Structures are given as C-alpha cells and as structure tokens.
Amino acid sequence: MEAATSAIAVGLLPDSLSGQARSATEKKLNIACIGVGVQGTTNLRSVSQTENIVAVCDVDSAQAQKVAQYCPGARYFRDYRTMFDALPGIGAVIVATPDHAHFGPAMAAIARGKHLYCEKPLAHSVEEVQKITNAARLAGVKTQMGIQSHSSEHIRLCCEWIWSGAIGEVREVHAWCDRPTGGFPFPSSISRPLDQPSIPDSLDWDAWLGPAKQRAYHPLYAPILWRGWHDFGSGTLGDMGCHILDAPFWALKLGTPLSVEANVSYNPGQQFWRSWADGSNRWREWSKALQEELTGARSESYPDASIVRYKFPARAGMPPVQLTWYDGGLLPELPKHFPKGKALTGNGAFFVGEKGLIRFTHNAGIRLEMYPDALFEHHRRNPPPKTIPRVSGPYTDWLEACKSDKTSSANFEYSGPLSEMVLLGLIAMRVPNKELQWDPTAKVFVNDDVANGYVAKEYRRGWGP
Ligand SMILES: NC(=O)c1ccc[n+]([C@@H]2O[C@H](COP(=O)([O-])OP(=O)(O)OC[C@H]3O[C@@H](n4cnc5c(N)ncnc54)[C@H](O)[C@@H]3O)[C@@H](O)[C@H]2O)c1
C-alpha cells in the first residue's frame, strides 16, 4: 500500500465511470476503511471480495500495511479528514476504530453523504449515538452497525417464536458474558500504568488519542486493550452486550429503559488477562500503585465483574420486563425450565416465559434452544410464519441496501437505540448501587446529576464535533 503523498490510485474508478453497463446491484462500491486492526481487517477482507477498496485510513501505518495484500490498489491515509478531501469519489465507509474514535469519522462520512458501516457500539456516549443516528436519518445514507448475528436465521426465529407466543409472556431476561477475563480477555480494575514505553515508529499516538484526554502511550491501551479503559472503550457490556443483548432488544422490542442500576466488583489480583497480554508478569511494574489506588467506581478502567439491571415498561402488547446483565464470570440463577445438571458457559441469554424458556447462546457460533424439550419439539415441528425478511449476511445486507432502495436490518434506527441501552448500563457502573431513573424524552437521569455528567463527552481541544 502506498502513502497518501505518493499514491497512484490504481483501481479508483469514479462512480460516474464504473457502472455504465452494469445494473445497480452489480456496480461496485468505492469503499474506504477507517481503522484496520482486528475487526477492521475482518470487515475489509469481507467487502473486498465484491467491492473496490479505494482507501485505507489508520493512524498506525503498520496496521495498514498488514491489509495491503487485500486491497493492492487502495491509497493509504493517516487522517480521515485528508482522505475525504482527497477522494470525493468514495461511496461508502467502514469505521472500525476504537470506540472513543467512532464519532469523528462517522459524522464526517455522513456529512459527505457516504453510506456507513460502523462498528459497535455505535459511539462512546449516549449523546454521540443520538447525533450519529439523527444525522444519518437526515442525510438518508444507508447504515449498518457491526452486530453480525443480527443477520442470522437464529435471531429471526427467536423473534418469531416470542412474537407468536411460543413461551408465553416474557417478564424476565438474563444475559451473561465471561469477559473481561474469559474468552477474549482485556484489562479491568487497573489504574493507569506508571512506566512510559517508547511509541512505535509506525503509530501517530496523538491522532490515536484523538478526542480523548492527553496521556502517555502504553501497550496496555493500543491496540485492542483499549476496551478496558473508560476513556477509550466500553468494557464488557459495551463490547459484547451489543451482540448478546441484540436478540432480547429485537424480540422484546425493548426500546428505552425506565431505569438502570449496576453493582460492580473491583477485584485486583484475579485478572487472567495480564498473563495473556505479554506472557509475563510485567503488569506488576506497570501498575505498582494498583491495590492502593483502586476504590470502586473511581478506577479509570471498567470493573472485573458487574450486574446491571434494566427495567422496561409495558410496550407493543408485551408486559413490563426486567433485563439483567452479568459479566466477569457471574451467572444468573438457573431458571425453572432449564434442565437439571446442565451448566452455563461463555455467553448467552435466557428469555424466561410463562410457558417455557428460550436460550440464545453466543459461544463459538450461535445456538438457539427452547425448554422444556417437549415445547421445543412442538415448535420445531410447527414453526411460526417467517415474518422477518431473511438476509445473507451483515455485509451483503448493507451493500445491497447501499445499491438499492432496501434498508439493512442493523441500520442505525435499530442499532442506535440498542447502543444507547448498552451505554446507559455503563453510566450505571460509574454511579453504582443506585436505581437511576431515565427520562427518554429529555435524555437525562431525573434522580442523579453525577450520572448526567456521563451522558455526553468532553473532547480534547481540536478534536470536538
Ligand atoms: N463486530 C465484532 O464482532 C467486533 C469484533 C471486534 C471489535 N469490534 C469493534 O471494532 C472496533 C475496533 O476494534 P478492534 O478490536 O479492531 O481494535 P484494534 O485496536 O485492533 O484496531 C483499531 C484500529 O484503529 C486504528 N485507529 C485508531 N484511531 C484511529 C483514527 N482516528 N483513524 C484511523 N484509525 C484509527 C488503530 O491504529 C487500530 O489499527 C471497536 O469499536 C470494537 O468494538 C467489533
């Protein structure tokens, strides 16, 4: 891949030239990928099979270099603003930067009328999510959030089971996730590292920080481990909740909660991610002051474990429901219809109905089960009508929408409110042990001003909206 200053734009076809002899859906989109780490690479590899990747933007040139093989004609940029100015022919954008850095590129893309695939959660604050959702609606661009299982057959069947009354009324949902220590571990309950390793030559650290407050570079932030830090990531709930809570959010038409309350556990010393981070115990030097400094919600990082309870009113013909989230190895009590002796693992959700139980599991792949077995067997033989259109995958769903008058299923009208629900839970973790009452119209907590301080973000000078 070539640097922006010396680029030869191989394969960059303006929209006006590329599609003359093709139908709208056969025409290739000119796509720019912003952020090409773990997930950005997955996204890029998928869409490059059918579309033109015309630009790759990453503040770390080494990251961009790794994806060059999948898009040999693309131009490389460090700064998305320069990229948009240089390449007005970009038709669609994929944003896969760390969570704190979604808002800038997403808004810049929408403002220029580009279709947008943005990773989850949509942004890093409730206010940012609302701004992105509103701006995309006004601009009329096609959008999709990166919640892949939203395109699955399983989630559609789950909704159709619930809507056809297969397990009766649902008043309780429990969802759990084994991170931050299990699965794909990242830091938790940790204070800021004290040493200052040198910044890799390939990385523009100031640009990586972007809107976040200035701090010294450390490999405990970038790449990947930013997830555990309040200033950059969204903890376990923000990371995995967008996937695991998707089925409850859709099937139960949850919308906005009435209230949210969190209990959190900061338990330094039991974090398995540390040995994973570099295979040594160097974290001890990085965080000498850890044990003394940590006092609950004052930590700069997310807790080791949390329980978050959301209450929703009656809606869309369904009764009030409580959704409880457990992470860090905490698990719900086994509900009545769950088979005795069967263990819970990994990640998943229970819909507790009056007649039975649906379990939606996100481990290696998705599983959908119903209990008791006889009820499952009955509904397997007598499936509900397929009322939700089927799609062939998260990328195809979005790409087809970009090229037609269709709407993709994880569009921001859906995924914005899902992200907002998740982010409200993160605010509750900052103000734990209190039921925070949320006013969805005024977008404020009516009973806690400290919590209101987390609804919007402050931006570093020069990086604001
Ligand atoms: N949908 C999924 O299954 C899934 C899986 C993993 C991650 N994600 C999401 O994808 C996003 C990225 O996560 P990741 O694990 O790939 O992180 P990562 O740290 O591996 O990659 C992020 C990349 O963005 C780059 N970057 C940072 N700021 C930038 C900026 N202003 N402009 C351009 N590039 C910038 C970094 O240099 C890095 O290469 C997050 O929002 C995360 O929640 C989604």
Side-chain angles (χ1 to χ4, degrees), residues 210-357:
K213 288 195 192 92
Q214 180 61 45
R215 68 167 75 191
Y217 161 79
H218 201 283
L220 268 176
Y221 308 132
I224 297 168
L225 299 181
W226 49 264
R227 284 167 166 74
W229 300 91
H230 287 146
D231 275 2
F232 312 127
S234 313
T236 301
L237 176 56
D239 193 30
M240 288 301 288
C242 295
H243 296 299
I244 298 169
L245 299 181
D246 184 13
F249 192 77
W250 195 0
L252 295 173
K253 304 181 180 179
L254 291 179
T256 312
L258 290 173
S259 72
V260 57
E261 176 176 9
N263 309 119
V264 294
S265 166
Y266 290 83
N267 191 8
Q270 296 191 359
Q271 299 149 353
F272 307 123
W273 62 266
R274 290 173 170 140
S275 49
W276 174 83
D278 70 349
S280 75
N281 277 332
R282 270 180 53 218
W283 63 271
R284 288 184 187 280
E285 295 152 35
W286 295 340
S287 303
K288 279 194 185 108
L290 179 71
Q291 305 277 344
E292 292 81 12
E293 279 182 16
L294 270 179
T295 45
R298 284 209 292 275
S299 163
E300 285 199 50
S301 55
Y302 288 92
D304 286 325
S306 67
I307 297 179
V308 182
R309 297 178 191 82
Y310 296 93
K311 288 185 184 161
F312 294 87
R315 76 247 152 258
M318 292 186 251
V321 63
Q322 177 162 309
L323 163 64
T324 311
W325 167 264
Y326 311 76
D327 64 32
L330 300 175
L331 291 168
E333 282 187 23
L334 297 181
K336 181 176 146 196
H337 294 290
F338 195 66
K340 301 239 173 327
K342 200 165 175 159
L344 290 187
T345 53
N347 312 295
F350 280 142
F351 296 75
V352 184
E354 353 163 61
K355 293 189 274 184
L357 180 74

Side-chain angles (χ1 to χ4, degrees), residues 156-206:
R156 282 162 176 71
L157 179 58
C158 179
C159 291
E160 289 160 354
W161 272 346
I162 297 281
W163 298 342
S164 63
I167 60 166
E169 288 193 336
V170 175
R171 291 171 185 272
E172 258 180 70
V173 177
H174 301 272
W176 65 95
C177 179
D178 57 4
R179 297 180 194 183
T181 52
F184 185 86
F186 52 80
S188 55
S189 292
I190 188 171
S191 56
R192 197 179 285 215
L194 301 177
D195 63 333
Q196 296 197 3
S198 54
I199 303 172
D201 290 343
S202 59
L203 175 64
D204 181 342
W205 176 241
D206 191 60

Side-chain angles (χ1 to χ4, degrees), residues 1 12-13 15 33 64-65 72 78 153 158 165 174 189 203-204 287 290 295 326 338 349 366 376 400 465:
M1 191 172 310
L12 175 60
L13 278 178
D15 281 349
C33 294
Q65 199 56 48
R78 266 183 195 271
E153 172 63 22
C158 179
H174 301 272
S189 292
L203 175 64
D204 181 342
S287 303
L290 179 71
T295 45
Y326 311 76
F338 195 66
I366 310 168
F376 194 12
E400 283 179 4

Side-chain angles (χ1 to χ4, degrees), residues 38-39 58 63 96 99 102 119-120 146 148 224 226-227:
V38 173
Q39 189 59 21
D58 200 295
Q63 296 280 65
D99 300 351
H102 286 184
E119 272 309 331
K120 51 77 196 165
Q148 299 89 311
I224 297 168
W226 49 264
R227 284 167 166 74

Side-chain angles (χ1 to χ4, degrees), residues 18-175:
S18 59
Q20 284 165 0
R22 300 184 198 149
S23 74
T25 48
E26 284 172 336
K27 186 176 157 187
K28 290 189 175 191
L29 270 172
N30 290 331
I31 295 184
C33 294
I34 307 178
V36 285
V38 173
Q39 189 59 21
T41 301
T42 302
N43 297 338
L44 185 152
R45 288 187 66 177
S46 298
V47 298
S48 67
Q49 290 171 20
T50 55
E51 314 301 318
N52 291 328
I53 307 298
V54 295
V56 167
C57 173
D58 200 295
V59 297
D60 187 341
S61 58
Q63 296 280 65
Q65 199 56 48
K66 287 187 206 158
V67 299
Q69 56 185 307
Y70 310 116
C71 49
R75 286 178 64 177
Y76 167 62
F77 296 85
R78 266 183 195 271
D79 187 323
Y80 61 85
R81 295 161 296 193
T82 315
M83 179 189 80
F84 283 126
D85 290 344
L87 298 181
I90 291 169
V93 173
I94 299 179
V95 172
T97 49
D99 300 351
H100 77 288
H102 286 184
F103 184 67
M107 290 297 274
I110 294 168
R112 289 162 177 81
K114 316 296 181 195
H115 302 306
L116 177 59
Y117 186 108
C118 186
E119 272 309 331
K120 51 77 196 165
L122 199 48
H124 202 218
S125 75
V126 169
E127 185 192 60
E128 285 186 346
V129 167
Q130 289 163 0
K131 284 186 173 171
I132 292 176
T133 308
N134 291 338
R137 184 186 311 127
L138 286 173
V141 294
K142 299 300 175 70
T143 57
Q144 182 93 316
M145 188 168 84
I147 38 175
Q148 299 89 311
S149 55
H150 195 79
S151 304
S152 67
E153 172 63 22
H154 298 74
I155 196 168
R156 282 162 176 71
L157 179 58
C158 179
C159 291
E160 289 160 354
W161 272 346
I162 297 281
W163 298 342
S164 63
I167 60 166
E169 288 193 336
V170 175
R171 291 171 185 272
E172 258 180 70
V173 177
H174 301 272

